[in-house]
Every structure is written in C-alpha cells, then in structure tokens.
Amino acid sequence: MESSKFAIDKDRRTFVKNVLKGTIAGSLLLVIPMGGASGSLEVPAQIPGIRGRKYDMFKQRFAFIVNITRCIGCGSCCVADKREYNVPDGYYRTWVERYIKDFDGNVYVDCPNGGLDGYQTPRADIPGKVRDTFFVPKLCNMCKKPSCVQVCPVGATFKTPDGFVLVDKERCVGCGYCIQACPYSVRFLNPVTHTADKCTWCYHRVRKGLLPACVNVCPANARKFGDLNDPESEVTRILASPDVITVLKPELGNMPALYYEGLRREVVYECGP
Amino acid sequence: MQSDYNTHIKRIVLLLVVAAVLGFLAKKFATPTSFGKYGHYRADAIQDEVDRPLRHMTNESCLSCHPFEWELHEQGRHKTISCEFCHGTYADHVQDGKFAGRLPVKKGEEIKTLCLRCHNKAIKARPKDVIKTVEMPRHLEDQHVQVTHICNQCHHVHAPLIYINHAQKVLGIEEANNGKQ
C-alpha cells in the first residue's frame, strides 16, 4: 500500500516535471527568434565542407571558373551582384561583355549598361560578315600576385590567407592607386562610401557555405565556384581535366585564380594574339 | 679649448627624443590592434567582410513557404533559374524569419522582356546547345496565335512546357519533348 502510493506520487512528480519542461521548451521556441543570422543558415549548404567545422583560413583554396561556351548573356549575374551589394548605378562589380569577330579580323566589343538589362537587341553597326560572337563575363580575378595589394599605401586592400583580395573600407583613403594598378579594371571608387570597391567573390556567402550570388543565379551553369581542397568538386575536376583552361592576360604574371573555359585569343591577350 | 655653450646640442637631442616618443605613441595608438596579424593589413577587416548581411539566398529558402511553386519549378526546364532573379531578393521579402515586404509581380510586356533576355534568337552569341531561342514575332505566327500574345499565355513561367505537354497529351499529338515539362 505504502509502496504503491509512493509510485503514484513519483508518477505525479514526473508528470508535473514533464509538463513543466514541455511548457518551458515550447515558450522558449516562441521567444527565441528564428531567422536572422542563425535562420539564414537553414538553407542547405551549396559548398560542402565549410559549415560545421572550424574554418582554417591558411588551408582553404578556392577557384572560380567561367565557361564561355555556356554563357547566354542573360545578365542574371550582373543583376544579382547589383542587388547583393546595392552597387550604385553606373558602377559594376561584375559585367558581361559581348564580343563580335568578323572575317577581316576586326573585334567589336560592347557592354551596354554592364549587361544589367541583358542583351535585348543585336548590334547593328557591324559592317562585315560575323565570323564568331560570344559573351565574356568579367569579375575580379583574385590574383595570387595582386598588383592592387602591392600599390596600396595604407594597407587597405589585401589578400586573405585563403586567397581572396578584399578591401578594408575603414582604412581605404580613396586614393585610387589600386584602381589604376588593376590590369583587369575590376575596381572602382564607390561614390557612396568614397572607398575602392570591387567584386569579392561573395566572401560573406562563401564563408557561410553558399555559392557567390552570381554563381547561384547563373541559369546556364556558365559560372562555377568551388573548393580546390575537395577532390569531388566540379572546379577540381575541370582544372584536372585535359580541357583548355586559360586566364586573362597571363603575360602580366598576376596569376589569377579566375579561370576561363573556351576563351578565344582575342580576349586573353590585351594587344591581340 | 672646448666651449661650455652646448645648450643647442641639448635642445636638438631633447627635440629628437620628444619626436621619437611622440612618433612611437602615435604609431601605437593609430595602428589598429589587429593590424599585421596576417600581413600588412587589419586582420579584423576579414571578419567585417564575413559579417556583411546576406541579401540573396538559394532556391531552397523559398521552399518552406512556397512549396507548390517550388515543386513545379523544380520539375520544369526552368529549374536552373534562381527564384530571386525574376522575383527579387530574399532580404526584400523576409527579414529575421518574418515577412518584410511584397516583391513586385511582373506583368504583361515585362514578362516578355524577361523571357527574351535569354530566349531571343536575334542575339547570335547564345550557344544553341545551352538555350532554346525563338524569333519574335515569328514564333507566334508559326504557332498560329496573335502576335500580341505574351509568353505566359501559353508557357507557364515556372515550368514552360507543362501546359504544352499536357495539351499535346490530351490531343494525342506525339511530339517528344523528352518527357520534360
């Protein structure tokens, strides 16, 4: 009798405890805000191996590959980039150029509004017969030996240990040396912050395991980004394949980490082949 | 004979010492603490860049509230297109997990302009194996519809061939679209 009463008491106790636990847990769920910085990570990772482990800056290596033979010139990347960074009108962190070659060896390049509005109309001012035409997306080359970092007098632009060339907005004095030094013309002086600005390969997204905004929106899979330490990643496979992979202006020795597939000679060299 | 007047030397030495101390203090206080940790730059600037707020998410982020559209989009030929490209950024729509603003809906000619960004045959630079292009208004004439038609009157914007495949099935027309919608 005594023991059964004790058992009921114990049951009651655990029941009350459980109810309390449930109430507290439930109310906590309501109180703790979902979303924000933690909520943003609810989406599945796009680059495997970044989340859920300590990020070692000295060991990470990334590559960006643009496949010219797949670019359809829709300008999604340019739109995504402008929206992600609120880039002021008239300035472009990434853009898509249209190349037209005729049979006389002339090369015509145009880029209306950086490709932001896409390419809605064909070019009408080409006198000769068109031999070849293609789109070339441009963005920061993330050089392994960046000229912009070398010329910065205040240490505001730098290469991170994981290979990203970034700008420190707090230190930049807006002298514009880096803008002149960049052989790929990817830098500009931001008229809002009055500091140098450029494509960062969406460093803030990459560190959260997400692809750069332009890669994420590319419908034709012309832009590829990935981890070079991951032997299974697409970029590793492409760079290990026998396909011809080029960089822009290799003669300058900047050693870009941005590679192009299917690029024509007219684009690779500054002064023609 | 050596002169006893060496005040000027004392002054110069004192001035140099004061300048050195001032210089040292200026460098100590003006240099950010994390400067030089990894190189000739402020190491905390890396964290500043990491903390930049995300404005774009991925297509998966739309799934939790728009499962119907997501599923339709995922099985169609437009599955590689980012939701945010046509509709606007996630950050303009959701903030801290809560509704923040309505994204503009494209209508009429805007839809046509959006479709032709990719599907305009007049732009010859588009690789044919990547994208199916049409010539306007010839495509409308070939399909025997009015040339004022907007693309989405026949094509579902999320799964462009879903209506067409369905209609062909109903009418018994065997025109293979490789079973894709």
Side-chain angles (χ1 to χ4, degrees):
Chain A
M1 186 64 199
E2 244 344 82
S3 64
S4 67
K5 192 167 186 286
F6 178 71
I8 289 166
D9 270 356
K10 200 182 160 198
D11 265 5
R12 190 179 292 152
R13 192 160 291 164
T14 44
F15 172 75
V16 170
K17 263 186 193 168
N18 283 340
V19 166
L20 266 177
K21 271 183 204 163
T23 321
I24 291 167
S27 54
L28 271 182
L29 265 180
L30 291 174
V31 172
I32 293 170
M34 303 294 278
S38 57
S40 66
L41 297 181
E42 280 167 22
V43 290
Q46 291 176 307
I47 310 170
I50 304 279
R51 285 189 202 163
R53 71 166 75 157
K54 199 177 175 297
Y55 187 84
D56 188 352
M57 260 195 277
F58 289 90
K59 294 216 174 110
Q60 286 292 341
R61 288 182 313 138
F62 294 97
F64 202 119
I65 302 177
V66 177
N67 189 340
I68 299 305
T69 59
R70 289 196 67 84
C71 180
I72 57 170
C74 63
S76 308
C77 43
C78 310
V79 173
D81 187 75
K82 190 179 171 74
R83 287 177 181 162
E84 182 76 20
Y85 295 95
N86 291 321
V87 182
D89 288 341
Y91 296 87
Y92 311 97
R93 294 165 69 112
T94 182
W95 64 97
V96 178
E97 293 169 359
R98 171 168 56 184
Y99 276 69
I100 299 172
K101 279 196 290 184
D102 68 7
F103 278 88
D104 300 326
N106 298 318
V107 182
Y108 304 88
V109 186
D110 71 334
C111 188
N113 198 15
L116 266 179
D117 311 321
Y119 286 86
Q120 298 279 356
T121 48
R123 230 179 122 155
D125 58 338
I126 311 295
K129 200 162 173 276
V130 175
R131 184 195 186 108
D132 191 11
T133 166
F134 50 91
F135 293 108
V136 182
K138 295 269 178 89
L139 64 155
C140 181
N141 283 250
M142 294 292 171
C143 310
K144 294 182 193 84
K145 292 182 181 169
S147 325
C148 53
V149 172
Q150 204 174 13
V151 299
C152 181
V154 293
T157 185
F158 54 93
K159 196 172 130 239
T160 63
D162 43 355
F164 290 76
V165 178
L166 303 176
V167 183
D168 181 354
K169 274 197 229 34
E170 282 180 32
R171 285 198 65 80
C172 180
V173 291
C175 67
Y177 284 180
C178 56
I179 297 165
Q180 292 188 34
C182 177
Y184 305 106
S185 307
V186 300
R187 286 175 167 260
F188 59 92
L189 199 64
N190 191 313
V192 179
T193 58
H194 302 292
T195 56
D197 205 350
K198 72 168 196 60
C199 160
T200 59
W201 283 11
C202 288
Y203 190 62
H204 62 303
R205 291 177 64 87
V206 173
R207 286 286 295 267
K208 293 177 184 88
L210 299 175
L211 288 171
C214 58
V215 180
N216 181 40
V217 300
C218 182
N221 197 21
R223 290 178 179 239
K224 299 165 179 100
F225 179 86
D227 188 351
L228 282 179
N229 289 337
D230 178 3
E232 297 301 313
S233 73
E234 197 183 1
V235 288
T236 314
R237 277 193 284 110
I238 292 169
L239 289 180
S241 75
D243 295 351
V244 178
I245 315 287
T246 33
V247 294
L248 296 176
K249 300 180 189 174
E251 73 278 14
L252 296 181
N254 274 41
M255 298 175 73
L258 166 68
Y259 302 92
Y260 284 90
E261 270 185 286
L263 204 58
R264 320 310 200 260
R265 313 183 280 183
E266 289 79 2
V267 193
V268 179
Y269 299 100
E270 195 169 16
C271 310
Chain B
M1 197 189 123
Q2 216 171 6
S3 164
D4 287 338
Y5 294 104
N6 53 5
T7 330
H8 62 295
I9 294 173
K10 279 183 188 162
R11 277 184 188 159
I12 288 170
V13 169
L14 190 70
L15 196 71
L16 282 174
V17 168
V18 169
V21 169
L22 280 179
F24 178 77
L25 287 176
K27 191 174 187 304
K28 194 170 159 48
F29 289 110
T31 313
T33 43
S34 67
F35 200 90
K37 193 179 168 193
Y38 300 132
H40 188 69
Y41 61 92
R42 197 170 60 90
D44 288 348
I46 299 175
Q47 193 55 43
D48 290 354
E49 189 60 44
V50 172
D51 293 339
R52 188 191 279 274
L54 289 167
R55 288 188 42 76
H56 282 80
M57 280 293 169
T58 64
N59 281 6
E60 271 67 27
S61 58
C62 309
L63 170 64
S64 56
C65 299
H66 305 280
F68 175 72
E69 287 83 358
W70 190 85
E71 205 176 304
L72 196 63
H73 178 257
E74 198 61 15
Q75 55 179 277
R77 283 209 166 178
H78 272 171
K79 66 168 177 279
T80 56
I81 299 177
S82 164
C83 307
E84 289 164 295
F85 171 60
C86 298
H87 293 285
T89 56
Y90 182 86
D92 290 337
H93 188 49
V94 182
Q95 284 286 334
D96 298 329
K98 292 199 174 62
F99 177 78
R102 197 167 280 278
L103 295 173
V105 178
K106 298 262 187 310
K107 283 191 187 107
E109 284 296 316
E110 281 178 341
I111 291 176
K112 203 170 172 180
T113 312
L114 199 58
C115 297
L116 289 178
R117 260 183 105 113
C118 300
H119 294 285
N120 191 353
K121 204 173 213 154
I123 310 298
K124 299 288 180 212
R126 300 205 159 115
K128 284 171 189 61
D129 54 333
V130 180
I131 185 122
K132 205 170 162 183
T133 52
V134 291
E135 198 182 327
M136 283 297 182
R138 201 172 147 201
H139 174 66
L140 296 168
E141 289 161 7
D142 286 353
Q143 303 300 326
H144 309 292
V145 295
Q146 286 180 19
V147 287
T148 51
H149 265 39
I150 305 296
C151 309
N152 69 332
Q153 285 179 266
C154 298
H155 298 280
H156 191 289
V157 288
H158 291 145
L161 295 178
I162 193 166
Y163 294 157
I164 290 148
N165 283 354
H166 187 68
Q168 282 174 349
K169 214 172 170 183
V170 169
L171 294 170
I173 303 169
E174 286 290 320
E175 198 183 326
N177 278 311
N178 305 326
K180 287 178 181 164
Q181 287 163 338

